Amino acid sequence: MKIAIGADHAGYRLKDVIVPLLESLGHEIEDVGCDCSQSVDYPDYAMPVCESVVSGKAERGILICGTGIGMSIAANKVPGIRCALVHDLFSAQATREHNDTNVLAMGERIIGPGVAEEIVKVWLSTPFSNGERHVGRVNKVMEIEKKFNSRS
């Protein structure tokens, strides 16, 4: 699977842990940065990841900032992105099974590298359930997106 990954200054150290994990699992990586502790703006890293996912260049995306909140907000502004902020294994599994998320957000200041690695493994290995109720709910979310995007 090709995975796009990006982080801001508050998440780059965790990104540097996750990238080798992804490679060890056999995934192809598109790393959009950042690679420093100098203050940067999280939307500048969320957008290339999301653009890669919606264009089909990458199948999934991973975003990391201090809390994961800013990245997830920015990501969910992009039509076609369903980003979940996850800090535990149950949520990592549920968001794939129930919401068919295509982008994962995490916070380096919230979780440690070991938990983050396990979250990534669960999130990547869990398929969407395709259950009728979940498909219907995801479709309703996409309809909301279409409604508000048609106003611009």
Side-chain angles (χ1 to χ4, degrees), residues 1 5 11 18 23 29 31 35 43 49 62 67 80 88 96 102-103 106 115-117 122 128 133 144-145 147 152:
M1 181 182 313
I5 187 167
I18 299 302
E23 291 171 337
I29 309 306
D31 185 343
D35 296 312
V49 167
I62 297 174
T67 62
D88 64 84
R96 283 290 309 134
N102 51 12
V103 176
M106 296 184 291
V115 173
E117 288 176 316
V122 167
F128 180 50
R133 67 183 179 175
I144 293 168
E145 181 178 86
K147 175 182 176 181
S152 26

Side-chain angles (χ1 to χ4, degrees), residues 7 11 16 22 27 29 33 39 46 48 63 75-76 81 100 103 111 114 122-123 126 130 133-134 137 144 148:
D16 289 347
L22 295 171
H27 299 292
I29 309 306
S39 184
L63 297 168
N76 281 312
I81 294 297
D100 196 19
V103 176
I111 56 173
V122 167
W123 185 74
T126 302
N130 278 307
R133 67 183 179 175
H134 300 303
R137 292 169 184 158
I144 293 168
F148 285 93

